Amino acid sequence: LKAALENVQYSVDTARNIARMNGTSVSLDLGQAPGSEAFQLDFSSPNPNKSNLLRDLQAYRLPEDIRLESELESFLFDDRGMVAIPGTITLVSTAYDSLQSSIPVQ
């Protein structure tokens, strides 16, 4: 859980930094990996002209025994790296529901 939490925090920081450095909006999308029960984080851009900035970034696929919970399906970072709607990403162990940890996205 700790390693997954660090990777999710890294993904949040990466989305924020890319948005700021390139002066464009970047979305960090939360969902399930295609054809799998595993959750993953993926990067996208609402600006089709800037989506090539994200092509080298790979989605982070969480271990199958950890699920993501959030009130939002994605977090949009503006060109200053500020999140449009703040929220929280919670990682929960499916093996031990009492093991969980949250990351505020502000």
Side-chain angles (χ1 to χ4, degrees):
L1 184 64
K2 183 177 177 182
L5 186 70
E6 289 172 358
N7 283 318
V8 171
Q9 182 65 58
Y10 178 79
S11 295
V12 170
D13 294 342
T14 298
R16 183 184 312 277
N17 290 334
I18 289 174
R20 190 177 2 196
M21 289 187 311
N22 293 294
T24 189
S25 297
V26 172
S27 179
L28 181 63
D29 306 315
L30 291 64
Q32 286 192 279
S36 172
E37 295 293 317
F39 287 85
Q40 78 176 26
L41 299 173
D42 201 2
F43 302 93
S44 63
S45 176
N47 182 346
N49 297 332
K50 299 288 186 171
S51 57
N52 63 338
L53 295 170
L54 306 173
R55 72 172 174 258
D56 293 333
L57 292 175
Q58 295 185 6
Y60 170 62
R61 185 173 172 163
L62 278 83
E64 303 242 349
D65 61 342
I66 297 177
R67 74 175 186 269
L68 286 177
E69 294 179 357
S70 180
E71 61 275 9
L72 301 171
E73 293 180 7
S74 65
F75 291 91
L76 181 64
F77 296 89
D78 67 16
D79 60 351
R80 297 170 297 146
M82 305 296 291
V83 70
I85 301 173
T88 302
I89 300 172
T90 301
L91 286 75
V92 180
S93 168
T94 57
Y96 305 99
D97 282 340
S98 61
L99 288 178
Q100 61 181 357
S101 194
S102 296
I103 297 172
V105 182
Q106 303 175 359

